[in-house]
Amino acid sequence: MEQVQGTRRIKIRQYRLLFALQIAALLCLALSLAAPNLAKEGLAIGELGTPTLSVAPFALIAASVLLLLWMRLWLRREVEAAGAEAARQVALLQVDPLTGAMTRRIFMDALKAATRPHPAGEPCSLALLDVDHFKSLNDSFGHNVGDFALTHLVEVARRTLPGALIGRLGGDEFAVLLPGCDETTALARMEEFLSALKTPTFAANRQLNLSASIGLVTAPRQTSFFEEMILLADLALYESKRRGRGRATLFDPDMLRIKRNRRMIERDLRAAIMLDELDLHYQPITGADQTILGVEALVRWKHPIRGMIPPAEFIPVAEEGALIDMLGEWVLRRACQDLEDLPGRFVSVNVSPSQLRRNDLVEVMKTVLRDSGVAPHQLVLEITENVSLLSIPEVLGRIQSLRTMGIVIALDDFGTGHCTFNYLRSLPVDIVKIDRSYISRLADDPVSRVFVSAVLEIARALRLSVVAEGIETPEEFSLSRAAGCTRFQGYLLGRPSAKPDLIGRAQAQISTRQDSLALTA
Ligand code: C2E
Ligand code: MG
Ligand code: MG
């Protein structure tokens, strides 16, 4: 665009020069006609000796005048076009062409001005916004729907947040400046915006359920520096995402401590993977008679200073970056190596959503199986119930390819995500693991009972195995057995333990069983 503008400017300059030369030439010609001695030369002597006026110089003058008029018109048109183009460029710098929101630069200027020390001490709040699962939306429904979502968000913000300045910082990241709002008012206003955004809308004949994650910070109470406002609002935004998205969170100084902790985990975890300092524990998955059918591999990290760090703390940190790929491959290799010593016929390995997004996942699995000599049907991959992920065709295709290879797929923690029963029919899975929260409430919660029997009913029809997770008491064990579950996992049947402990326990179990068989014989 700028190149076109530049060429146009050069052309205008050249034509202006030509225009000036033409005028100069015309003036010379006119002068030469007017000057008496020169004028004589302009008169030719006719045959009869009467001087006749030659038409050539006049024709030349007329042509030049016409040319000059044309050039003048052309010049004016070009100058106007260049002006309009320049105005458009300025507008482009100020307004995002897709959504009509302010551009990043202009928004930052406005934020800088708003956070300058105010004599009246009037507060202002900054909200950073991210459209939830925007990448999945784009991947699954196409960029037109993605564009629609962004435009819709700005429309809703304009409608529900009068007086606010709305900026698009890039991609699906937006910022809202709420002048005169302290944190309480800002939170209330942003929550109002969120609930309006969550009202279903339609694009390309599809119902869209949009939501956003929001981080909020207030000046001057929390900071008066505009760069710091962005950083703090970003931390609050991260917290909103971590707590399940679709919500607004106010910045809290504790978030800075959490961030430092996250950084430390990331650095030390990388070192732990490289130095082979992680460990795998295995938890038995049994049949109704408590015989071990297989085991689930659960990663363990004993930090040299901080001691045991639970996976719930470090897996999400690993998932934020590329570390999860390293970790995932390490777990897979170790589990496959250990399998031949382990009790049961299979090993179940947890796979993170970000691993499923990897193009080379199938290749990695093939390589690990080949290197370890494990048969595909001995490996179960546990994927979590995640609607936005499982609706991406590439991800589904990858899971299908793994299944075609003979690897068994289990849907972990079923009931905690948002997969409807309908999903069970379409997902390429072999096993459903009912989340512990339903199993632990089987005794006293009718809703959990209805849920568990509905899952079992569908699983029977689809020929899926069902694992009851988190069995802690004999009552939970018998209730889930009575409901129709065929596989069981939980502290009652065996806690996750290191390979040697599990092998020892399994051998003890076998000899006890043999003793009791001998006694009854
Ligand atoms: P999960 O895959 O659902 O694993 C089961 C979790 O429930 C394990 O927690 C296990 O120790 C715990 N558990 C099993 N039986 C009982 C019970 O009877 N009562 C209670 N209260 N808990 C029980 P853990 O090891 O802390 O792992 C937590 C989660 O971390 C796992 O949930 C899984 O999502 C993730 N995780 C663990 N290891 C890995 C891994 O190697 N890779 C990935 N991507 N995620 C992993
Ligand atoms: Mg699992
Ligand atoms: Mg689970």
Side-chain angles (χ1 to χ4, degrees):
M1 187 67 76
E2 269 183 14
Q3 211 179 345
V4 174
Q5 267 292 90
T7 327
R8 183 169 257 157
R9 253 183 249 126
I10 293 169
K11 251 182 165 179
I12 291 175
R13 230 176 279 141
Q14 287 172 347
Y15 275 89
R16 272 196 178 136
L17 192 69
L18 209 66
F19 189 59
L21 285 174
Q22 287 261 339
I23 290 181
L26 203 61
L27 277 174
C28 286
L29 201 66
L31 270 174
S32 67
L33 276 176
N37 51 341
L38 288 175
K40 266 184 211 146
E41 285 172 21
L43 296 173
I45 304 298
E47 264 175 39
L48 297 172
T50 47
T52 54
L53 201 62
S54 163
V55 290
F58 294 103
L60 206 60
I61 291 176
S64 293
V65 168
L66 280 177
L67 189 64
L68 273 173
L69 280 175
W70 177 81
M71 280 182 73
R72 172 129 194 83
L73 276 175
W74 183 88
L75 260 176
R76 186 189 297 164
R77 228 184 32 229
E78 278 302 294
V79 168
E80 277 170 7
E85 186 60 35
R88 213 173 68 82
Q89 300 249 344
V90 171
L92 269 183
L93 285 177
Q94 294 179 343
V95 177
D96 171 49
L98 176 68
T99 61
M102 292 163 115
T103 56
R104 184 186 186 96
R105 213 183 74 192
I106 298 296
F107 184 85
M108 290 302 175
D109 288 346
L111 179 64
K112 210 187 282 182
T115 47
R116 250 180 233 133
H118 208 281
E122 197 176 75
C124 79
S125 290
L126 169 74
L128 289 187
L129 275 85
D130 257 19
V131 180
D132 291 333
H133 309 296
F134 184 67
K135 192 176 176 314
S136 310
L137 189 81
N138 255 340
D139 290 347
S140 342
F141 303 131
H143 286 260
N144 283 349
V145 174
D147 286 355
F148 170 84
L150 301 179
T151 317
H152 181 71
L153 179 137
V154 173
E155 271 169 25
V156 174
R158 286 224 173 94
R159 187 160 33 88
T160 54
L161 303 166
L165 301 183
I166 305 156
R168 184 177 178 197
L169 304 187
D172 65 324
E173 291 169 29
F174 291 87
V176 175
L177 179 65
L178 299 154
C181 285
D182 63 9
E183 57 256 60
T184 320
T185 326
L187 187 62
R189 292 190 71 187
M190 290 316 290
E191 276 171 352
E192 205 177 303
F193 155 78
L194 253 185
S195 65
L197 183 70
K198 285 180 182 173
T199 310
T201 180
F202 288 86
N205 292 330
R206 282 175 199 284
Q207 180 175 317
L208 290 186
N209 297 311
L210 293 176
S211 77
S213 301
I214 301 172
L216 268 166
V217 67
T218 303
R221 207 183 70 78
Q222 291 174 312
T223 176
S224 306
F225 301 103
F226 94 101
E227 290 101 337
E228 202 174 33
M229 270 191 107
I230 306 262
L231 282 178
L232 302 187
D234 201 38
L235 280 179
L237 168 63
Y238 173 83
E239 191 57 22
S240 278
K241 289 185 185 172
R242 206 184 60 81
R243 285 165 53 214
R245 296 168 197 266
R247 65 186 70 221
T249 309
L250 274 173
F251 167 74
D252 180 311
D254 251 4
M255 290 174 189
L256 281 169
R257 189 185 47 76
I258 296 170
K259 186 179 177 176
R260 272 195 292 274
N261 185 42
R262 246 189 349 248
R263 253 200 230 134
M264 185 279 291
I265 287 184
E266 199 179 345
R267 191 192 55 214
D268 292 1
L269 181 60
R270 186 182 301 276
I273 300 171
M274 286 175 172
L275 299 171
D276 207 18
E277 283 176 1
L278 297 180
D279 204 2
L280 278 191
H281 278 193
Y282 295 97
Q283 184 175 30
I285 296 170
T286 73
D289 60 355
Q290 299 195 29
T291 48
I292 300 177
L293 302 175
V295 291
E296 177 172 0
L298 296 159
V299 68
R300 295 289 177 261
W301 180 23
K302 192 167 180 210
H303 191 276
I305 300 161
R306 298 177 60 202
M308 245 2 196
I309 302 182
E313 202 175 314
F314 67 84
I315 297 269
V317 178
E319 275 173 346
E320 272 170 37
L323 215 52
I324 192 65
D325 296 334
M326 267 168 90
L327 177 73
E329 200 171 325
W330 182 90
V331 170
L332 189 68
R333 283 192 181 276
R334 172 62 68 86
C336 286
Q337 270 168 25
D338 286 351
L339 181 60
E340 67 174 325
D341 305 325
L342 292 167
R345 302 185 303 270
F346 63 84
V347 65
S348 227
V349 172
N350 291 284
V351 175
S352 283
S354 34
Q355 284 176 274
L356 287 173
R357 289 203 173 92
R358 265 181 77 161
N359 288 333
D360 61 351
L361 178 76
V362 178
E363 274 316 302
V364 170
M365 293 290 167
K366 275 186 190 160
T367 316
V368 175
L369 288 180
R370 198 180 49 233
D371 294 351
S372 61
V374 166
H377 68 268
Q378 293 179 290
L379 179 64
V380 180
L381 295 182
E382 295 195 6
I383 59 174
T384 38
E385 185 199 356
N386 179 329
V387 181
S388 54
L389 178 79
L390 295 175
S391 52
I392 301 174
E394 291 81 38
V395 169
L396 281 178
R398 239 162 258 151
I399 300 173
Q400 191 56 62
S401 310
L402 294 168
R403 252 184 121 205
T404 313
M405 278 165 61
I407 294 175
V408 182
I409 307 291
L411 195 58
D412 204 359
D413 308 332
F414 188 70
T416 53
H418 301 281
C419 280
T420 55
F421 287 123
N422 230 354
Y423 261 87
L424 283 183
R425 202 161 33 154
S426 55
L427 285 177
V429 298
D430 309 278
I431 299 172
V432 180
K433 297 184 79 172
I434 301 179
D435 189 64
R436 187 169 75 87
S437 52
Y438 293 95
I439 302 297
S440 62
R441 278 185 261 142
L442 266 182
D444 44 27
D445 176 28
V447 176
S448 294
R449 273 201 295 275
V450 170
F451 177 84
V452 172
S453 48
V455 174
L456 284 157
E457 199 66 39
I458 293 165
R460 250 192 299 276
L462 298 172
R463 296 171 184 279
L464 307 175
S465 300
V466 178
V467 181
E469 284 190 285
I471 307 255
E472 290 184 350
T473 64
E475 191 189 17
E476 284 166 8
F477 188 33
S478 63
L479 282 174
S480 47
R481 249 185 326 184
C485 295
T486 48
R487 297 182 180 195
F488 309 86
Q489 184 177 0
Y491 291 169
L492 180 76
L493 304 155
R495 282 180 177 261
S497 40
K499 188 173 80 169
D501 299 343
L502 182 68
I503 295 170
R505 237 182 321 134
Q507 274 163 357
Q509 210 176 31
I510 292 168
S511 45
T512 322
R513 209 164 271 157
Q514 278 169 349
D515 288 350
S516 57
L517 277 175
L519 281 175
T520 48

